[in-house]
Amino acid sequence: MSRFRAAALTALLVVPAVAWAQDVTRGDLKIAKPWARETARMARAGGAFMTIENTGSTPDKLLKASSPAAARTEVHTVIQDGDVMRMREVSALDLAPKSKVELKPGGYHVMLMDLKAPLKAGDRFPMTLTFEKAGEVTVDIVVEKMSGPAPDHDKMKH
């Protein structure tokens, strides 16, 4: 094998899984970098993250999410309540015209509850997002290796 081929193969193997996550566009909505963090072996909950951009001139709303990876899913935000960070379900996530909303650890996210199996780095699973105007959009969630301590979702106040 040539040095060039060996280097190219090595580069492909060390690229993080998120590089292969597929961005999805539906009408004026662009959903970028859908991912989830790996969970502990006995975890019952996890989170999914992405960026949603509304490139249009009219608002839309993320109403709900669903996935075969979990018995229940909820769109959550994280709020500071005194000295405690608390997760709260939101009834809808507003997507203003010409704006981006980042779903990320410590902020808005899709909570995956009663996981059917632990989320392992490199795995993928589908998630269907339901928007008020754009309708249903299915994205492919890529599970990434945990790079630091994750919030213990089982111990956070809901």
Side-chain angles (χ1 to χ4, degrees), residues 37-48:
R37 184 179 285 159
E38 71 180 338
T39 61
R41 191 177 61 186
M42 300 299 285
R44 296 183 330 231

Side-chain angles (χ1 to χ4, degrees), residues 52-139:
I52 304 172
E53 181 178 7
N54 182 354
T55 63
S57 58
T58 58
D60 205 338
K61 290 181 183 185
L62 174 60
L63 302 175
K64 66 180 181 174
S66 62
S67 175
R72 292 184 312 138
T73 58
E74 295 177 356
V75 179
H76 279 193
T77 189
V78 176
I79 60 169
Q80 181 81 29
D81 184 9
D83 292 342
V84 178
M85 298 297 288
R86 297 182 187 273
M87 285 191 278
R88 294 281 186 250
E89 183 178 9
V90 295
S91 59
L93 181 57
D94 291 324
L95 304 165
K98 310 286 185 208
S99 70
K100 279 185 191 177
V101 175
E102 188 176 0
L103 283 71
K104 61 184 180 180
Y108 288 112
H109 60 279
V110 176
M111 192 74 199
L112 302 158
M113 294 174 288
D114 299 321
L115 288 170
K116 305 222 173 131
L119 302 178
K120 294 185 218 163
D123 286 352
R124 295 173 172 270
F125 60 91
M127 178 175 286
T128 301
L129 307 171
T130 304
F131 296 93
E132 183 177 63
K133 294 185 177 143
E136 289 187 352
V137 179
T138 299
V139 296

